[in-house]
Amino acid sequence: MKIEERLLRLPEVLERVPFGKTTLYRLQGEGSFPQSIQLGSNSVAWVSSHIDMWIDEKIKEANQR
């Protein structure tokens, strides 16, 4: 089964994660959140499957506690 990839802009990513923009960019800078990709000089997006995998990993970590 092929997963349809999408590019998510910041508002869509923020709807899916439990924190705000500042924390998202801090975690990204620390390497704890998927990196965005540059679309243009002032435009970035995140690959939807990377966000899904990050969410799944956080759920797995929570269930192991």
Side-chain angles (χ1 to χ4, degrees):
M1 178 165 119
K2 184 178 177 184
I3 297 173
E4 185 177 328
E5 289 287 10
R6 290 187 54 230
L7 293 176
L8 305 175
R9 299 299 304 270
L10 181 61
E12 292 176 286
V13 175
L14 292 175
E15 287 179 10
R16 301 182 70 185
V17 297
F19 41 77
K21 179 171 67 171
T22 301
T23 301
L24 182 148
Y25 283 118
R26 180 179 52 79
L27 292 173
Q28 183 176 278
E30 295 172 354
S32 302
F33 192 77
Q35 295 295 308
S36 58
I37 58 173
Q38 194 76 34
L39 300 178
S41 60
N42 294 316
S43 181
V44 298
W46 287 260
V47 177
S48 60
S49 64
H50 296 177
I51 302 300
D52 293 339
M53 287 187 289
W54 183 86
I55 291 169
D56 289 344
E57 185 60 35
K58 292 301 172 188
I59 292 169
K60 287 177 189 174
E61 288 174 10
N63 288 336
Q64 291 176 354
R65 294 181 191 155

